[in-house]
Amino acid sequence: MRKCLIMSLVALFGWGSSVSAQTTKNVANNTEDVVVKPQDTELAPEECLYEPRFTRVDAHAGINLSDYSSDYLSTGLKPGFNVGIGFDFPFKRHYSINPELNFSMVGAKVDFTDKINGSENLCYMEIPVYSKWEFGNGKVKPFIAFAPTLGVGIIGSRNYDGAVLYKDPHNKNNVEDKKVPLFAPNQDVEFEEAVYKKLDFGFKFKVGVTTVLGFMAYAGYQLGMVDLARDDFYKAYGKKVYGSDETIGVSNKNIFVSVGYCW
């Protein structure tokens, strides 16, 4: 009778909570006693189920709105584009490393002096390495990311809005030149020094969303930390081009918006 009563209480108690029952032998009374051991119902964080994350590859493209921080008379936003691929390597539930390889065209509209103006296009192969935090387990997952970024100048050119005349040092003839290189010497007018440095370094920040279907969209900001202007050029040709041999500070800044697909 005693045994039946205990078993009934165990069954009733186990209906609303998690318990474990263990039967032991009472040798003295030749009976079986039931020992009830309650279990901890709270799971440790690592035991909780969540959606697993895997290494992903993405392709993306978008537009840039770039400008300079500079000592030029004035500058303005210039549209460009970006295209590239990325890799997402998850390390924790919400954190991953997200390196990219991008081709990006930036630059600015520039008033060089009160009489000379135009625009500059700077094309870079760019390698940002993002630290990325992705949140949520729904169909749309927001993320934020921050990266140091290294850029290598591939093509750089300056396009003047009007005729610009340089004096040829050998023939003493005026040469009209509306388009000049920036990452390489200008051989047309025998400039032996490039205007800008090829290497750029800075930081990028972006916020966006990814979907369970693989689509993503984001917007961000890039700030260059390198003074691109080369002292050698300004010392040699600054007075001829700008009327002063003092180096003009120039660094990139850029707003970008991109869409892509990851798999």
Side-chain angles (χ1 to χ4, degrees):
M1 184 67 178
R2 177 186 173 190
K3 178 180 177 181
C4 293
L5 179 59
I6 292 176
M7 293 297 292
S8 300
L9 290 175
V10 169
L12 180 62
F13 183 77
W15 182 263
S17 62
S18 177
V19 298
S20 64
Q22 178 178 351
T23 302
T24 61
K25 190 76 172 180
N26 190 324
V27 179
N29 298 327
N30 197 26
T31 60
E32 292 182 347
D33 295 332
V34 177
V35 180
V36 179
K37 294 184 178 181
Q39 295 179 341
D40 188 2
T41 58
E42 184 177 355
L43 293 177
E46 61 271 15
E47 297 174 329
C48 297
L49 296 178
Y50 62 89
E51 182 180 356
R53 298 181 63 197
F54 305 98
T55 299
R56 294 179 296 185
V57 180
D58 72 76
H60 53 266
I63 59 172
N64 296 330
L65 286 175
S66 58
D67 197 358
Y68 290 151
S69 297
S70 75
D71 297 328
Y72 286 128
L73 184 64
S74 67
T75 64
L77 291 172
K78 186 192 75 65
F81 69 93
N82 64 80
V83 61
I85 59 174
F87 304 87
D88 190 89
F89 302 103
F91 282 87
K92 294 185 178 180
R93 180 177 179 182
H94 296 295
Y95 177 74
S96 61
I97 297 295
N98 178 209
E100 293 181 348
L101 177 63
N102 300 325
F103 180 85
S104 181
M105 185 175 74
V106 294
K109 296 180 179 179
V110 184
D111 291 332
F112 302 101
T113 69
D114 56 354
K115 296 181 180 180
I116 302 175
N117 53 68
S119 63
E120 295 186 346
N121 296 315
L122 306 180
C123 298
Y124 291 93
M125 289 303 299
E126 187 183 58
I127 307 174
V129 181
Y130 286 99
S131 292
K132 180 179 176 183
W133 291 265
E134 187 176 80
F135 307 99
N137 291 318
K139 294 183 178 180
V140 177
K141 302 175 185 179
F143 68 83
I144 59 173
F146 176 80
T149 182
L150 176 67
V152 179
I154 304 300
I155 302 171
S157 64
R158 175 182 293 170
N159 298 274
Y160 291 106
D161 290 342
V164 178
L165 301 179
Y166 298 115
K167 182 176 288 187
D168 188 307
H170 296 289
N171 299 325
K172 297 183 178 180
N173 295 321
N174 287 334
V175 179
E176 183 174 320
D177 196 354
K178 292 187 178 181
K179 185 174 182 178
V180 299
L182 295 175
F183 291 140
N186 184 359
Q187 302 298 336
D188 291 339
V189 291
E190 299 191 6
F191 285 178
E192 297 179 356
E193 304 291 344
V195 180
Y196 290 157
K197 304 168 187 173
K198 286 188 175 183
L199 290 180
D200 190 22
F201 176 82
F203 296 94
K204 301 183 78 171
F205 173 80
K206 65 180 180 180
V207 294
V209 295
T210 57
T211 71
V212 294
L213 297 178
F215 297 101
M216 66 179 185
Y218 56 84
Y221 182 75
Q222 176 180 2
L223 180 63
M225 306 301 292
V226 173
D227 185 353
L228 300 176
R230 297 183 73 248
D231 292 339
D232 292 343
F233 175 84
Y234 284 88
K235 289 178 181 178
Y237 310 108
K239 285 186 178 180
K240 183 182 297 185
V241 179
Y242 305 106
S244 172
D245 58 0
E246 293 184 4
T247 303
I248 296 176
V250 181
S251 58
N252 287 311
K253 55 184 179 179
N254 179 39
I255 300 170
F256 57 93
V257 178
S258 298
V259 295
Y261 182 79
C262 54
W263 59 91

